[in-house]
PDB file of all heavy atoms in Angstrom:
ATOM      1  N   ALA A 165      55.337  76.620  73.324  1.00  0.00           N
ATOM      2  CA  ALA A 165      55.638  75.325  73.752  1.00  0.00           C
ATOM      3  C   ALA A 165      56.783  74.652  72.912  1.00  0.00           C
ATOM      4  O   ALA A 165      57.697  74.007  73.437  1.00  0.00           O
ATOM      5  CB  ALA A 165      54.410  74.408  73.683  1.00  0.00           C
ATOM      6  N   ALA A 166      56.776  74.909  71.602  1.00  0.00           N
ATOM      7  CA  ALA A 166      57.809  74.376  70.702  1.00  0.00           C
ATOM      8  C   ALA A 166      59.171  75.094  71.088  1.00  0.00           C
ATOM      9  O   ALA A 166      60.141  74.412  71.112  1.00  0.00           O
ATOM     10  CB  ALA A 166      57.380  74.713  69.249  1.00  0.00           C
ATOM     11  N   SER A 167      59.174  76.338  71.330  1.00  0.00           N
ATOM     12  CA  SER A 167      60.345  77.079  71.709  1.00  0.00           C
ATOM     13  C   SER A 167      60.848  76.526  72.977  1.00  0.00           C
ATOM     14  O   SER A 167      62.144  76.314  73.129  1.00  0.00           O
ATOM     15  CB  SER A 167      60.116  78.570  71.763  1.00  0.00           C
ATOM     16  OG  SER A 167      59.625  79.048  70.517  1.00  0.00           O
ATOM     17  N   ALA A 168      60.095  76.244  73.949  1.00  0.00           N
ATOM     18  CA  ALA A 168      60.499  75.661  75.246  1.00  0.00           C
ATOM     19  C   ALA A 168      61.117  74.355  75.041  1.00  0.00           C
ATOM     20  O   ALA A 168      62.162  73.981  75.675  1.00  0.00           O
ATOM     21  CB  ALA A 168      59.270  75.669  76.148  1.00  0.00           C
ATOM     22  N   ILE A 169      60.540  73.524  74.214  1.00  0.00           N
ATOM     23  CA  ILE A 169      61.045  72.163  74.028  1.00  0.00           C
ATOM     24  C   ILE A 169      62.418  72.277  73.374  1.00  0.00           C
ATOM     25  O   ILE A 169      63.453  71.568  73.789  1.00  0.00           O
ATOM     26  CB  ILE A 169      60.138  71.365  73.116  1.00  0.00           C
ATOM     27  CG1 ILE A 169      58.859  71.016  73.914  1.00  0.00           C
ATOM     28  CG2 ILE A 169      60.798  70.011  72.751  1.00  0.00           C
ATOM     29  CD1 ILE A 169      57.762  70.323  73.075  1.00  0.00           C
ATOM     30  N   ILE A 170      62.647  73.076  72.455  1.00  0.00           N
ATOM     31  CA  ILE A 170      63.932  73.257  71.759  1.00  0.00           C
ATOM     32  C   ILE A 170      64.960  73.761  72.753  1.00  0.00           C
ATOM     33  O   ILE A 170      66.067  73.368  72.794  1.00  0.00           O
ATOM     34  CB  ILE A 170      63.802  74.179  70.550  1.00  0.00           C
ATOM     35  CG1 ILE A 170      62.917  73.438  69.457  1.00  0.00           C
ATOM     36  CG2 ILE A 170      65.133  74.541  69.917  1.00  0.00           C
ATOM     37  CD1 ILE A 170      62.598  74.305  68.253  1.00  0.00           C
ATOM     38  N   ALA A 171      64.562  74.751  73.575  1.00  0.00           N
ATOM     39  CA  ALA A 171      65.437  75.290  74.599  1.00  0.00           C
ATOM     40  C   ALA A 171      65.891  74.324  75.604  1.00  0.00           C
ATOM     41  O   ALA A 171      67.070  74.218  76.066  1.00  0.00           O
ATOM     42  CB  ALA A 171      64.853  76.498  75.339  1.00  0.00           C
ATOM     43  N   LEU A 172      64.923  73.407  75.914  1.00  0.00           N
ATOM     44  CA  LEU A 172      65.226  72.363  76.892  1.00  0.00           C
ATOM     45  C   LEU A 172      66.324  71.382  76.255  1.00  0.00           C
ATOM     46  O   LEU A 172      67.280  70.894  76.993  1.00  0.00           O
ATOM     47  CB  LEU A 172      63.975  71.579  77.290  1.00  0.00           C
ATOM     48  CG  LEU A 172      64.167  70.392  78.235  1.00  0.00           C
ATOM     49  CD1 LEU A 172      64.703  70.946  79.684  1.00  0.00           C
ATOM     50  CD2 LEU A 172      62.834  69.692  78.465  1.00  0.00           C
ATOM     51  N   ILE A 173      66.068  70.994  75.042  1.00  0.00           N
ATOM     52  CA  ILE A 173      67.074  70.129  74.375  1.00  0.00           C
ATOM     53  C   ILE A 173      68.417  70.692  74.349  1.00  0.00           C
ATOM     54  O   ILE A 173      69.455  70.147  74.584  1.00  0.00           O
ATOM     55  CB  ILE A 173      66.541  69.736  73.043  1.00  0.00           C
ATOM     56  CG1 ILE A 173      65.238  68.886  73.082  1.00  0.00           C
ATOM     57  CG2 ILE A 173      67.556  68.940  72.205  1.00  0.00           C
ATOM     58  CD1 ILE A 173      64.595  68.695  71.743  1.00  0.00           C
ATOM     59  N   ALA A 174      68.491  71.984  74.042  1.00  0.00           N
ATOM     60  CA  ALA A 174      69.796  72.659  73.946  1.00  0.00           C
ATOM     61  C   ALA A 174      70.420  72.749  75.333  1.00  0.00           C
ATOM     62  O   ALA A 174      71.621  72.526  75.408  1.00  0.00           O
ATOM     63  CB  ALA A 174      69.506  74.078  73.414  1.00  0.00           C
ATOM     64  N   ALA A 175      69.642  72.975  76.329  1.00  0.00           N
ATOM     65  CA  ALA A 175      70.282  72.942  77.654  1.00  0.00           C
ATOM     66  C   ALA A 175      70.795  71.700  78.125  1.00  0.00           C
ATOM     67  O   ALA A 175      71.866  71.565  78.749  1.00  0.00           O
ATOM     68  CB  ALA A 175      69.140  73.451  78.754  1.00  0.00           C
ATOM     69  N   VAL A 176      70.095  70.651  77.763  1.00  0.00           N
ATOM     70  CA  VAL A 176      70.535  69.230  78.065  1.00  0.00           C
ATOM     71  C   VAL A 176      71.890  68.933  77.341  1.00  0.00           C
ATOM     72  O   VAL A 176      72.803  68.411  77.957  1.00  0.00           O
ATOM     73  CB  VAL A 176      69.488  68.218  77.757  1.00  0.00           C
ATOM     74  CG1 VAL A 176      70.033  66.751  77.847  1.00  0.00           C
ATOM     75  CG2 VAL A 176      68.272  68.329  78.605  1.00  0.00           C
ATOM     76  N   MET A 177      72.020  69.351  76.095  1.00  0.00           N
ATOM     77  CA  MET A 177      73.193  69.119  75.327  1.00  0.00           C
ATOM     78  C   MET A 177      74.448  69.853  75.894  1.00  0.00           C
ATOM     79  O   MET A 177      75.430  69.358  76.010  1.00  0.00           O
ATOM     80  CB  MET A 177      72.993  69.516  73.848  1.00  0.00           C
ATOM     81  CG  MET A 177      71.965  68.558  73.154  1.00  0.00           C
ATOM     82  SD  MET A 177      71.727  69.064  71.432  1.00  0.00           S
ATOM     83  CE  MET A 177      73.404  68.919  70.757  1.00  0.00           C
ATOM     84  N   ILE A 178      74.133  71.155  76.265  1.00  0.00           N
ATOM     85  CA  ILE A 178      75.213  71.921  76.917  1.00  0.00           C
ATOM     86  C   ILE A 178      75.597  71.362  78.166  1.00  0.00           C
ATOM     87  O   ILE A 178      76.870  71.309  78.591  1.00  0.00           O
ATOM     88  CB  ILE A 178      74.692  73.435  77.014  1.00  0.00           C
ATOM     89  CG1 ILE A 178      74.558  74.039  75.695  1.00  0.00           C
ATOM     90  CG2 ILE A 178      75.710  74.183  77.865  1.00  0.00           C
ATOM     91  CD1 ILE A 178      73.917  75.479  75.614  1.00  0.00           C
ATOM     92  N   GLY A 179      74.715  70.880  78.959  1.00  0.00           N
ATOM     93  CA  GLY A 179      75.103  70.311  80.251  1.00  0.00           C
ATOM     94  C   GLY A 179      75.893  69.027  80.116  1.00  0.00           C
ATOM     95  O   GLY A 179      76.929  68.797  80.804  1.00  0.00           O
ATOM     96  N   TRP A 180      75.464  68.162  79.194  1.00  0.00           N
ATOM     97  CA  TRP A 180      76.177  66.935  78.844  1.00  0.00           C
ATOM     98  C   TRP A 180      77.661  67.265  78.450  1.00  0.00           C
ATOM     99  O   TRP A 180      78.595  66.635  78.821  1.00  0.00           O
ATOM    100  CB  TRP A 180      75.498  66.132  77.840  1.00  0.00           C
ATOM    101  CG  TRP A 180      76.276  64.907  77.414  1.00  0.00           C
ATOM    102  CD1 TRP A 180      76.865  64.747  76.249  1.00  0.00           C
ATOM    103  CD2 TRP A 180      76.497  63.736  78.157  1.00  0.00           C
ATOM    104  NE1 TRP A 180      77.521  63.496  76.215  1.00  0.00           N
ATOM    105  CE2 TRP A 180      77.257  62.869  77.443  1.00  0.00           C
ATOM    106  CE3 TRP A 180      76.061  63.441  79.481  1.00  0.00           C
ATOM    107  CZ2 TRP A 180      77.691  61.651  77.875  1.00  0.00           C
ATOM    108  CZ3 TRP A 180      76.516  62.163  79.925  1.00  0.00           C
ATOM    109  CH2 TRP A 180      77.292  61.275  79.150  1.00  0.00           C
ATOM    110  N   TRP A 181      77.777  68.291  77.591  1.00  0.00           N
ATOM    111  CA  TRP A 181      79.147  68.733  77.085  1.00  0.00           C
ATOM    112  C   TRP A 181      80.017  69.148  78.236  1.00  0.00           C
ATOM    113  O   TRP A 181      81.167  68.732  78.364  1.00  0.00           O
ATOM    114  CB  TRP A 181      79.019  69.859  76.071  1.00  0.00           C
ATOM    115  CG  TRP A 181      80.394  70.363  75.641  1.00  0.00           C
ATOM    116  CD1 TRP A 181      81.227  69.857  74.830  1.00  0.00           C
ATOM    117  CD2 TRP A 181      80.940  71.577  76.174  1.00  0.00           C
ATOM    118  NE1 TRP A 181      82.309  70.644  74.769  1.00  0.00           N
ATOM    119  CE2 TRP A 181      82.171  71.680  75.523  1.00  0.00           C
ATOM    120  CE3 TRP A 181      80.551  72.488  77.118  1.00  0.00           C
ATOM    121  CZ2 TRP A 181      83.070  72.786  75.875  1.00  0.00           C
ATOM    122  CZ3 TRP A 181      81.331  73.553  77.377  1.00  0.00           C
ATOM    123  CH2 TRP A 181      82.608  73.665  76.797  1.00  0.00           C
ATOM    124  N   PHE A 182      79.401  69.877  79.185  1.00  0.00           N
ATOM    125  CA  PHE A 182      80.252  70.390  80.295  1.00  0.00           C
ATOM    126  C   PHE A 182      80.588  69.271  81.268  1.00  0.00           C
ATOM    127  O   PHE A 182      81.743  69.218  81.704  1.00  0.00           O
ATOM    128  CB  PHE A 182      79.403  71.447  81.118  1.00  0.00           C
ATOM    129  CG  PHE A 182      80.103  72.002  82.233  1.00  0.00           C
ATOM    130  CD1 PHE A 182      81.085  72.976  82.000  1.00  0.00           C
ATOM    131  CD2 PHE A 182      79.826  71.658  83.571  1.00  0.00           C
ATOM    132  CE1 PHE A 182      81.744  73.519  83.119  1.00  0.00           C
ATOM    133  CE2 PHE A 182      80.468  72.136  84.649  1.00  0.00           C
ATOM    134  CZ  PHE A 182      81.485  73.066  84.441  1.00  0.00           C
ATOM    135  N   ILE A 183      79.729  68.317  81.471  1.00  0.00           N
ATOM    136  CA  ILE A 183      80.041  67.202  82.324  1.00  0.00           C
ATOM    137  C   ILE A 183      81.154  66.299  81.714  1.00  0.00           C
ATOM    138  O   ILE A 183      82.063  65.836  82.387  1.00  0.00           O
ATOM    139  CB  ILE A 183      78.826  66.388  82.591  1.00  0.00           C
ATOM    140  CG1 ILE A 183      77.782  67.211  83.418  1.00  0.00           C
ATOM    141  CG2 ILE A 183      79.068  65.079  83.313  1.00  0.00           C
ATOM    142  CD1 ILE A 183      76.458  66.484  83.641  1.00  0.00           C
ATOM    143  N   ARG A 184      81.008  66.138  80.349  1.00  0.00           N
ATOM    144  CA  ARG A 184      82.001  65.310  79.733  1.00  0.00           C
ATOM    145  C   ARG A 184      83.338  66.069  79.706  1.00  0.00           C
ATOM    146  O   ARG A 184      84.459  65.382  79.799  1.00  0.00           O
ATOM    147  CB  ARG A 184      81.572  65.093  78.261  1.00  0.00           C
ATOM    148  CG  ARG A 184      82.438  64.177  77.409  1.00  0.00           C
ATOM    149  CD  ARG A 184      81.708  63.809  76.198  1.00  0.00           C
ATOM    150  NE  ARG A 184      82.577  62.974  75.340  1.00  0.00           N
ATOM    151  CZ  ARG A 184      83.353  63.360  74.373  1.00  0.00           C
ATOM    152  NH1 ARG A 184      83.423  64.717  74.213  1.00  0.00           N
ATOM    153  NH2 ARG A 184      84.120  62.553  73.646  1.00  0.00           N
ATOM    154  N   LEU A 185      83.397  67.387  79.528  1.00  0.00           N
ATOM    155  CA  LEU A 185      84.647  68.093  79.667  1.00  0.00           C
ATOM    156  C   LEU A 185      85.319  67.984  80.899  1.00  0.00           C
ATOM    157  O   LEU A 185      86.535  67.743  80.971  1.00  0.00           O
ATOM    158  CB  LEU A 185      84.361  69.581  79.258  1.00  0.00           C
ATOM    159  CG  LEU A 185      85.503  70.528  79.318  1.00  0.00           C
ATOM    160  CD1 LEU A 185      86.552  70.140  78.247  1.00  0.00           C
ATOM    161  CD2 LEU A 185      85.069  72.006  79.178  1.00  0.00           C
ATOM    162  N   VAL A 186      84.567  68.106  82.014  1.00  0.00           N
ATOM    163  CA  VAL A 186      85.090  67.909  83.391  1.00  0.00           C
ATOM    164  C   VAL A 186      85.668  66.533  83.571  1.00  0.00           C
ATOM    165  O   VAL A 186      86.706  66.343  84.169  1.00  0.00           O
ATOM    166  CB  VAL A 186      84.180  68.333  84.466  1.00  0.00           C
ATOM    167  CG1 VAL A 186      84.645  68.068  85.797  1.00  0.00           C
ATOM    168  CG2 VAL A 186      83.696  69.870  84.291  1.00  0.00           C
ATOM    169  N   TRP A 187      84.958  65.509  82.999  1.00  0.00           N
ATOM    170  CA  TRP A 187      85.327  64.238  83.207  1.00  0.00           C
ATOM    171  C   TRP A 187      86.629  63.798  82.502  1.00  0.00           C
ATOM    172  O   TRP A 187      87.392  62.997  83.050  1.00  0.00           O
ATOM    173  CB  TRP A 187      84.197  63.220  82.858  1.00  0.00           C
ATOM    174  CG  TRP A 187      84.423  61.808  82.973  1.00  0.00           C
ATOM    175  CD1 TRP A 187      84.894  60.938  82.083  1.00  0.00           C
ATOM    176  CD2 TRP A 187      84.199  61.109  84.199  1.00  0.00           C
ATOM    177  NE1 TRP A 187      85.038  59.632  82.689  1.00  0.00           N
ATOM    178  CE2 TRP A 187      84.589  59.770  84.009  1.00  0.00           C
ATOM    179  CE3 TRP A 187      83.749  61.457  85.554  1.00  0.00           C
ATOM    180  CZ2 TRP A 187      84.509  58.815  84.952  1.00  0.00           C
ATOM    181  CZ3 TRP A 187      83.680  60.509  86.500  1.00  0.00           C
ATOM    182  CH2 TRP A 187      84.087  59.207  86.236  1.00  0.00           C
ATOM    183  N   THR A 188      86.774  64.379  81.278  1.00  0.00           N
ATOM    184  CA  THR A 188      87.971  64.007  80.522  1.00  0.00           C
ATOM    185  C   THR A 188      89.090  65.043  80.625  1.00  0.00           C
ATOM    186  O   THR A 188      89.995  64.902  79.813  1.00  0.00           O
ATOM    187  CB  THR A 188      87.569  63.898  79.051  1.00  0.00           C
ATOM    188  OG1 THR A 188      86.935  65.119  78.540  1.00  0.00           O
ATOM    189  CG2 THR A 188      86.499  62.747  78.850  1.00  0.00           C
ATOM    190  N   SER A 189      88.954  65.910  81.457  1.00  0.00           N
ATOM    191  CA  SER A 189      90.011  66.961  81.502  1.00  0.00           C
ATOM    192  C   SER A 189      91.342  66.485  81.879  1.00  0.00           C
ATOM    193  O   SER A 189      92.386  66.985  81.313  1.00  0.00           O
ATOM    194  CB  SER A 189      89.513  68.104  82.476  1.00  0.00           C
ATOM    195  OG  SER A 189      89.392  67.502  83.856  1.00  0.00           O
ATOM    196  N   PRO A 190      91.529  65.512  82.760  1.00  0.00           N
ATOM    197  CA  PRO A 190      92.961  65.063  82.932  1.00  0.00           C
ATOM    198  C   PRO A 190      93.543  64.475  81.780  1.00  0.00           C
ATOM    199  O   PRO A 190      94.771  64.745  81.518  1.00  0.00           O
ATOM    200  CB  PRO A 190      92.657  63.996  84.096  1.00  0.00           C
ATOM    201  CG  PRO A 190      91.402  64.296  84.786  1.00  0.00           C
ATOM    202  CD  PRO A 190      90.593  64.937  83.653  1.00  0.00           C
ATOM    203  N   HIS A 191      92.828  63.662  80.981  1.00  0.00           N
ATOM    204  CA  HIS A 191      93.374  63.130  79.869  1.00  0.00           C
ATOM    205  C   HIS A 191      93.732  64.161  78.745  1.00  0.00           C
ATOM    206  O   HIS A 191      94.741  64.145  78.133  1.00  0.00           O
ATOM    207  CB  HIS A 191      92.450  62.141  79.278  1.00  0.00           C
ATOM    208  CG  HIS A 191      92.905  61.494  77.890  1.00  0.00           C
ATOM    209  ND1 HIS A 191      93.960  60.657  77.846  1.00  0.00           N
ATOM    210  CD2 HIS A 191      92.433  61.673  76.619  1.00  0.00           C
ATOM    211  CE1 HIS A 191      94.141  60.285  76.569  1.00  0.00           C
ATOM    212  NE2 HIS A 191      93.218  60.895  75.841  1.00  0.00           N
ATOM    213  N   SER A 192      92.868  65.191  78.685  1.00  0.00           N
ATOM    214  CA  SER A 192      93.039  66.211  77.748  1.00  0.00           C
ATOM    215  C   SER A 192      94.316  67.100  78.138  1.00  0.00           C
ATOM    216  O   SER A 192      95.073  67.484  77.247  1.00  0.00           O
ATOM    217  CB  SER A 192      91.863  67.198  77.715  1.00  0.00           C
ATOM    218  OG  SER A 192      90.634  66.434  77.317  1.00  0.00           O
ATOM    219  N   VAL A 193      94.512  67.282  79.390  1.00  0.00           N
ATOM    220  CA  VAL A 193      95.689  68.087  79.832  1.00  0.00           C
ATOM    221  C   VAL A 193      96.926  67.212  79.557  1.00  0.00           C
ATOM    222  O   VAL A 193      97.898  67.754  79.027  1.00  0.00           O
ATOM    223  CB  VAL A 193      95.574  68.366  81.344  1.00  0.00           C
ATOM    224  CG1 VAL A 193      96.872  68.989  81.829  1.00  0.00           C
ATOM    225  CG2 VAL A 193      94.438  69.343  81.542  1.00  0.00           C
ATOM    226  N   THR A 194      96.872  65.895  79.760  1.00  0.00           N
ATOM    227  CA  THR A 194      98.106  65.115  79.567  1.00  0.00           C
ATOM    228  C   THR A 194      98.345  65.095  78.079  1.00  0.00           C
ATOM    229  O   THR A 194      99.521  65.241  77.612  1.00  0.00           O
ATOM    230  CB  THR A 194      97.759  63.696  80.023  1.00  0.00           C
ATOM    231  OG1 THR A 194      97.458  63.740  81.470  1.00  0.00           O
ATOM    232  CG2 THR A 194      98.979  62.826  79.811  1.00  0.00           C
ATOM    233  N   ARG A 195      97.327  64.958  77.188  1.00  0.00           N
ATOM    234  CA  ARG A 195      97.470  64.969  75.746  1.00  0.00           C
ATOM    235  C   ARG A 195      98.080  66.292  75.257  1.00  0.00           C
ATOM    236  O   ARG A 195      98.947  66.313  74.392  1.00  0.00           O
ATOM    237  CB  ARG A 195      96.246  64.688  75.110  1.00  0.00           C
ATOM    238  CG  ARG A 195      96.353  64.436  73.635  1.00  0.00           C
ATOM    239  CD  ARG A 195      95.024  63.990  73.015  1.00  0.00           C
ATOM    240  NE  ARG A 195      93.941  64.947  73.317  1.00  0.00           N
ATOM    241  CZ  ARG A 195      92.631  64.762  73.009  1.00  0.00           C
ATOM    242  NH1 ARG A 195      92.309  63.685  72.353  1.00  0.00           N
ATOM    243  NH2 ARG A 195      91.767  65.647  73.308  1.00  0.00           N
ATOM    244  N   TYR A 196      97.619  67.434  75.925  1.00  0.00           N
ATOM    245  CA  TYR A 196      98.199  68.669  75.473  1.00  0.00           C
ATOM    246  C   TYR A 196      99.623  68.814  75.679  1.00  0.00           C
ATOM    247  O   TYR A 196     100.460  69.174  74.805  1.00  0.00           O
ATOM    248  CB  TYR A 196      97.375  69.773  76.267  1.00  0.00           C
ATOM    249  CG  TYR A 196      97.969  71.158  76.097  1.00  0.00           C
ATOM    250  CD1 TYR A 196      97.914  71.855  74.938  1.00  0.00           C
ATOM    251  CD2 TYR A 196      98.726  71.652  77.076  1.00  0.00           C
ATOM    252  CE1 TYR A 196      98.513  73.139  74.780  1.00  0.00           C
ATOM    253  CE2 TYR A 196      99.343  72.947  77.001  1.00  0.00           C
ATOM    254  CZ  TYR A 196      99.153  73.709  75.837  1.00  0.00           C
ATOM    255  OH  TYR A 196      99.849  74.865  75.713  1.00  0.00           O
ATOM    256  N   PHE A 197     100.022  68.348  76.887  1.00  0.00           N
ATOM    257  CA  PHE A 197     101.495  68.513  77.312  1.00  0.00           C
ATOM    258  C   PHE A 197     102.347  67.506  76.476  1.00  0.00           C
ATOM    259  O   PHE A 197     103.443  67.781  76.015  1.00  0.00           O
ATOM    260  CB  PHE A 197     101.653  68.337  78.694  1.00  0.00           C
ATOM    261  CG  PHE A 197     101.307  69.540  79.531  1.00  0.00           C
ATOM    262  CD1 PHE A 197     100.206  69.529  80.398  1.00  0.00           C
ATOM    263  CD2 PHE A 197     102.131  70.573  79.580  1.00  0.00           C
ATOM    264  CE1 PHE A 197      99.787  70.613  81.110  1.00  0.00           C
ATOM    265  CE2 PHE A 197     101.799  71.723  80.302  1.00  0.00           C
ATOM    266  CZ  PHE A 197     100.633  71.685  81.051  1.00  0.00           C
ATOM    267  N   ARG A 198     101.769  66.262  76.146  1.00  0.00           N
ATOM    268  CA  ARG A 198     102.432  65.346  75.275  1.00  0.00           C
ATOM    269  C   ARG A 198     102.601  65.920  73.888  1.00  0.00           C
ATOM    270  O   ARG A 198     103.732  65.763  73.274  1.00  0.00           O
ATOM    271  CB  ARG A 198     101.696  64.071  75.305  1.00  0.00           C
ATOM    272  CG  ARG A 198     102.365  62.919  74.597  1.00  0.00           C
ATOM    273  CD  ARG A 198     101.539  61.709  74.479  1.00  0.00           C
ATOM    274  NE  ARG A 198     101.145  61.267  75.888  1.00  0.00           N
ATOM    275  CZ  ARG A 198     100.059  60.602  76.115  1.00  0.00           C
ATOM    276  NH1 ARG A 198      99.178  60.284  75.180  1.00  0.00           N
ATOM    277  NH2 ARG A 198      99.811  60.249  77.362  1.00  0.00           N
ATOM    278  N   ALA A 199     101.568  66.511  73.330  1.00  0.00           N
ATOM    279  CA  ALA A 199     101.758  67.077  71.986  1.00  0.00           C
ATOM    280  C   ALA A 199     102.758  68.231  71.934  1.00  0.00           C
ATOM    281  O   ALA A 199     103.522  68.332  71.026  1.00  0.00           O
ATOM    282  CB  ALA A 199     100.348  67.519  71.459  1.00  0.00           C
ATOM    283  N   ARG A 200     102.748  68.985  73.019  1.00  0.00           N
ATOM    284  CA  ARG A 200     103.730  70.092  73.013  1.00  0.00           C
ATOM    285  C   ARG A 200     105.106  69.503  73.164  1.00  0.00           C
ATOM    286  O   ARG A 200     106.002  70.014  72.519  1.00  0.00           O
ATOM    287  CB  ARG A 200     103.431  70.935  74.242  1.00  0.00           C
ATOM    288  CG  ARG A 200     104.310  72.114  74.399  1.00  0.00           C
ATOM    289  CD  ARG A 200     103.952  72.949  75.615  1.00  0.00           C
ATOM    290  NE  ARG A 200     104.828  74.128  75.811  1.00  0.00           N
ATOM    291  CZ  ARG A 200     104.846  74.892  76.853  1.00  0.00           C
ATOM    292  NH1 ARG A 200     103.941  74.763  77.879  1.00  0.00           N
ATOM    293  NH2 ARG A 200     105.722  75.873  76.899  1.00  0.00           N
ATOM    294  N   LYS A 201     105.281  68.424  73.901  1.00  0.00           N
ATOM    295  CA  LYS A 201     106.554  67.777  74.035  1.00  0.00           C
ATOM    296  C   LYS A 201     107.073  67.245  72.651  1.00  0.00           C
ATOM    297  O   LYS A 201     108.257  67.332  72.361  1.00  0.00           O
ATOM    298  CB  LYS A 201     106.555  66.770  75.075  1.00  0.00           C
ATOM    299  CG  LYS A 201     107.907  66.050  75.339  1.00  0.00           C
ATOM    300  CD  LYS A 201     107.762  65.012  76.489  1.00  0.00           C
ATOM    301  CE  LYS A 201     109.046  64.286  76.746  1.00  0.00           C
ATOM    302  NZ  LYS A 201     108.858  63.358  77.797  1.00  0.00           N
ATOM    303  N   ARG A 202     106.113  66.589  72.057  1.00  0.00           N
ATOM    304  CA  ARG A 202     106.414  65.996  70.712  1.00  0.00           C
ATOM    305  C   ARG A 202     106.815  66.988  69.728  1.00  0.00           C
ATOM    306  O   ARG A 202     107.673  66.868  68.914  1.00  0.00           O
ATOM    307  CB  ARG A 202     105.282  65.169  70.241  1.00  0.00           C
ATOM    308  CG  ARG A 202     105.489  64.419  68.883  1.00  0.00           C
ATOM    309  CD  ARG A 202     104.351  63.666  68.429  1.00  0.00           C
ATOM    310  NE  ARG A 202     103.154  64.473  68.139  1.00  0.00           N
ATOM    311  CZ  ARG A 202     102.097  64.523  68.843  1.00  0.00           C
ATOM    312  NH1 ARG A 202     101.946  63.703  69.954  1.00  0.00           N
ATOM    313  NH2 ARG A 202     101.022  65.233  68.576  1.00  0.00           N
ATOM    314  N   ASP A 203     106.147  68.141  69.749  1.00  0.00           N
ATOM    315  CA  ASP A 203     106.377  69.181  68.787  1.00  0.00           C
ATOM    316  C   ASP A 203     107.854  69.789  69.069  1.00  0.00           C
ATOM    317  O   ASP A 203     108.562  70.101  68.134  1.00  0.00           O
ATOM    318  CB  ASP A 203     105.373  70.343  69.002  1.00  0.00           C
ATOM    319  CG  ASP A 203     104.021  69.974  68.446  1.00  0.00           C
ATOM    320  OD1 ASP A 203     103.935  68.916  67.721  1.00  0.00           O
ATOM    321  OD2 ASP A 203     103.052  70.593  68.854  1.00  0.00           O
ATOM    322  N   ARG A 204     108.128  69.961  70.343  1.00  0.00           N
ATOM    323  CA  ARG A 204     109.491  70.370  70.684  1.00  0.00           C
ATOM    324  C   ARG A 204     110.537  69.341  70.222  1.00  0.00           C
ATOM    325  O   ARG A 204     111.664  69.740  69.751  1.00  0.00           O
ATOM    326  CB  ARG A 204     109.656  70.646  72.201  1.00  0.00           C
ATOM    327  CG  ARG A 204     108.863  71.799  72.668  1.00  0.00           C
ATOM    328  CD  ARG A 204     108.795  71.845  74.205  1.00  0.00           C
ATOM    329  NE  ARG A 204     110.144  71.751  74.716  1.00  0.00           N
ATOM    330  CZ  ARG A 204     110.444  71.449  76.007  1.00  0.00           C
ATOM    331  NH1 ARG A 204     109.443  71.042  76.785  1.00  0.00           N
ATOM    332  NH2 ARG A 204     111.649  71.479  76.395  1.00  0.00           N
TER     333      ARG A 204
END
């Protein structure tokens, strides 16, 4: 039971990270190209 609870918490965290990544991906892509342009 303890192991199942810990695995559930880990799955929730991974899912939240994936949802957040998809949600902020446009800004991240824009920031990446802006940083590359600034470096150039």
Side-chain angles (χ1 to χ4, degrees):
S167 300
I169 292 173
I170 293 175
L172 179 63
I173 294 174
V176 171
M177 293 178 62
I178 293 174
W180 173 255
W181 171 81
F182 181 76
I183 294 172
R184 187 168 177 267
L185 177 64
V186 174
W187 182 265
T188 60
S189 60
H191 177 69
S192 300
V193 172
T194 304
R195 185 173 58 182
Y196 167 76
F197 284 107
R198 185 184 301 154
R200 183 181 178 186
K201 181 179 180 182
R202 184 178 63 250
D203 292 341
R204 290 170 56 199

